């Protein structure tokens, strides 16, 4: 009686354990399917919706893609041969009944095979090195034509400072460049610097990654041909808000770009009536970090606010530049971006509203 009950309980315990294992592996299977699905979606997604390295819309991204497809194809062929041989060996020489009695024939060394698997990979690697270094040299040696747009991009924790020294423009997080057209080639040549730690400039559809290193200047260039907004982000871990250090490259038709330049070159209109918001801005320590050209605010640590309202986003590209977000950002930056260098100024609701009203005049 007891042994029967013991047997039943041990069987049910085993069944429960088995069902748990099954449930667990089902979860793992689902997780695997989700991951594979996500990867497939990235590769096959509509290129207009995803910043996809496989849908470049600029040099040098196009050139990089061609080289990487060649490398991928060579590696793919090698993978298929190796995996094919492995599967063939596993199936053809699998364990069969009656194999216990004898050992399979033992083969020691074969000069031909060893030569083949030494020489062939060396040749393949050599070809890949030549192709890759040609692409790298071709991209790095490109000289700016006289029509090129020159900009300096400085990485900060966690935003991008963008300067156009020849045009006298300073802005943040949104790099405007003209589209290169057939008869008017205007690549943008970028000097990359860092104000603090290492960052990395990466807009997948325009070019490969290039790091921004403290005390070292790196160079890169882009030559987009299609107007539009291209998304990128910092690609080198640089602290708590690294993932929220977003970059937008706004590619405009040459005429639109010229108009943008003219607007950005203007100083702010000095307000004749000294309103409360303006007073609040200049009475607080905002001026220590921010510049508003044409006023006494000449701080350098934070983004230039001269044409703040011409930008689509705030806080390093994290939120759209709307009145509500501007209010949230001014009231408590730490709520939107924990750890950012802009402090909560402990302003009253009224002061916040006045300050926002002033900032909204910076068009
Ligand atoms: Cu800047 Cu990561």
């Amino acid at each position: 009686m007891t042994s029967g009950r013991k047997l039943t309980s041990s069987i049910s315990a085993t069944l429960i354990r088995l069902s748990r294992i099954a449930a667990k592996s089902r979860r793992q299977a689902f997780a695997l399917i989700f991951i594979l699905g996500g990867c497939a979606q990235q590769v096959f997604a509509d290129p207009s919706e995803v910043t996809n390295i496989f849908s470049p819309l600029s040099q040098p991204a196009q050139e990089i893609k061609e080289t990487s497809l060649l490398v991928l194809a060579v590696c793919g062929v090698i993978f298929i041969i190796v995996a094919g041989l492995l599967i063939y060996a596993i199936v053809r020489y699998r364990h069969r009944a009656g194999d216990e009695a004898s050992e399979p024939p033992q083969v020691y060394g074969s000069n031909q095979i060893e030569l083949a698997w030494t020489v062939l990979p060396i040749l393949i690697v050599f070809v890949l090195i030549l192709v890759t270094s040609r692409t790298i040299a071709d991209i790095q040696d490109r000289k700016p034509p006289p029509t090129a747009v020159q900009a300096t991009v400085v990485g900060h924790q966690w935003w991008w400072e963008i300067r156009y020294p020849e045009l006298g423009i300073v802005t943040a997080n949104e790099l405007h460049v003209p589209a290169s057209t057939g008869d008017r080639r205007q690549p943008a040549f970028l000097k990359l610097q860092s104000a603090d730690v290492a960052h990395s400039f990466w807009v997948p559809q325009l070019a490969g990654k290039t790091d921004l290193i403290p005390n070292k200047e790196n160079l890169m260039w882009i030559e987009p041909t299609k107007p539009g907004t291209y998304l990128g982000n910092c690609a080198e871990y640089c602290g708590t808000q690294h993932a929220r250090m977003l970059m937008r490259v706004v590619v405009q038709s040459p005429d639109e770009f010229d108009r943008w330049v003219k607007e950005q070159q203007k100083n702010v209109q000095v307000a004749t009536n000294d309103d409360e918001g303006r007073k609040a801005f200049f009475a607080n320590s905002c001026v220590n970090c921010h510049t508003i050209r044409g006023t006494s605010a000449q701080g350098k640590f934070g983004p230039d606010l001269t044409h703040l309202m011409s930008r689509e986003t705030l806080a390093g590209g994290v939120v759209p530049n709307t009145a509500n977000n501007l209010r949230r950002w001014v009231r408590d930056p730490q709520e939107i971006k924990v750890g950012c260098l802009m402090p909560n100024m402990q302003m009253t609701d009224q002061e916040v509203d006045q300050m926002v009203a002033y900032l909204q005049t910076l068009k």
Side-chain angles (χ1 to χ4, degrees):
M1 208 37 199
T2 18
S3 72
R5 207 173 292 155
K6 247 186 208 159
L7 187 68
T8 325
S9 72
S10 86
I11 287 173
S12 62
T14 312
L15 282 176
I16 289 168
R17 213 173 297 144
L18 278 175
S19 71
R20 273 192 198 137
I21 292 170
K24 209 170 162 191
S25 53
R26 201 170 58 213
R27 272 203 298 277
Q28 279 154 351
F30 276 131
L32 190 66
I33 288 167
F34 275 123
I35 291 167
L36 291 177
C39 295
Q41 193 206 354
Q42 280 295 315
V43 174
F44 298 110
D46 179 356
S48 63
E49 285 175 9
V50 189
T51 56
N52 191 331
I53 53 165
F54 292 106
S55 55
L57 285 166
S58 164
Q59 288 296 9
Q62 182 71 39
E63 207 173 327
I64 294 170
K65 181 195 149 189
E66 280 157 19
T67 306
S68 44
L69 282 185
L70 174 77
V71 175
L72 263 175
V74 171
C75 295
V77 170
I78 295 173
F79 174 78
I80 290 169
I81 293 174
V82 172
L85 286 174
L86 187 66
I87 292 168
Y88 172 77
I90 290 172
V91 175
R92 172 81 175 75
Y93 300 105
R94 68 185 183 279
H95 180 267
R96 289 187 173 87
D99 278 355
E100 289 83 1
S102 62
E103 247 187 20
Q106 304 294 304
V107 182
Y108 295 100
S110 156
N111 284 343
Q112 283 99 323
I113 292 177
E114 280 177 21
L115 260 177
W117 75 39
T118 309
V119 174
L120 263 180
I122 288 176
L123 285 178
I124 293 170
V125 168
F126 192 64
V127 168
L128 291 181
I129 288 174
L130 285 184
V131 174
T132 315
S133 30
R134 214 182 75 171
T135 307
I136 293 173
D138 190 36
I139 294 170
Q140 284 190 340
D141 296 348
R142 196 66 60 91
K143 295 281 171 289
T147 51
V149 172
Q150 306 271 0
T152 304
V153 178
V154 188
H156 291 257
Q157 281 176 317
W158 295 277
W159 61 283
W160 306 90
E161 177 184 345
I162 299 163
R163 304 178 157 268
Y164 300 78
E166 292 173 351
L167 302 173
I169 296 173
V170 183
T171 181
N173 305 319
E174 293 169 20
L175 174 70
H176 285 245
V177 295
S180 254
T181 53
D183 54 335
R184 194 170 160 184
R185 287 200 46 222
Q186 276 185 295
F189 278 71
L190 310 177
K191 288 180 177 156
L192 304 180
Q193 303 169 350
S194 169
D196 35 48
V197 299
H199 305 271
S200 182
F201 183 98
W202 190 33
V203 183
Q205 285 181 290
L206 303 183
K209 293 172 191 169
T210 308
D211 282 2
L212 299 88
I213 312 281
N215 302 317
K216 181 184 189 318
E217 188 170 80
N218 279 338
L219 301 173
M220 74 178 290
W221 59 273
I222 50 174
E223 190 173 2
T225 48
K226 197 171 159 234
T229 300
Y230 298 85
L231 303 180
N233 52 310
C234 181
E236 177 79 47
Y237 182 72
C238 55
T240 326
Q241 294 289 349
H242 151 73
R244 295 171 127 198
M245 183 168 167
L246 309 179
M247 163 63 82
R248 277 172 170 72
V249 178
V250 183
V251 179
Q252 295 170 303
S253 71
D255 293 342
E256 267 177 57
F257 178 73
D258 289 344
R259 267 199 297 282
W260 178 81
V261 168
K262 293 227 167 57
E263 281 300 313
Q264 296 288 315
Q265 282 172 333
K266 290 180 188 158
N267 281 357
V268 292
Q269 300 290 323
V270 178
T272 41
N273 56 329
D274 222 13
D275 60 279
E276 294 303 318
R278 208 180 115 80
K279 277 189 213 153
F281 184 89
F282 287 90
N284 274 298
S285 43
C286 311
V287 290
N288 295 338
C289 295
H290 295 285
T291 290
I292 299 179
R293 245 178 306 131
T295 73
S296 59
Q298 296 294 327
K300 297 283 179 245
F301 296 116
D304 186 301
L305 300 179
T306 312
H307 295 285
L308 173 67
M309 298 317 289
S310 73
R311 304 205 277 263
E312 290 171 31
T313 57
L314 295 170
V318 174
V319 290
N321 187 359
T322 61
N324 189 37
N325 283 333
L326 189 57
R327 197 168 290 118
R328 280 172 63 209
W329 181 236
V330 168
R331 173 180 289 127
D332 184 9
Q334 304 299 318
E335 181 229 329
I336 292 183
K337 209 167 176 181
V338 180
C340 75
L341 291 183
M342 184 150 94
N344 181 339
M345 307 297 282
Q346 311 293 342
M347 286 182 285
T348 63
D349 281 357
Q350 196 196 3
E351 281 172 323
V352 170
D353 286 342
Q354 289 166 346
M355 179 88 78
V356 168
Y358 171 63
L359 291 174
Q360 283 180 314
T361 66
L362 305 174
K363 297 230 162 71

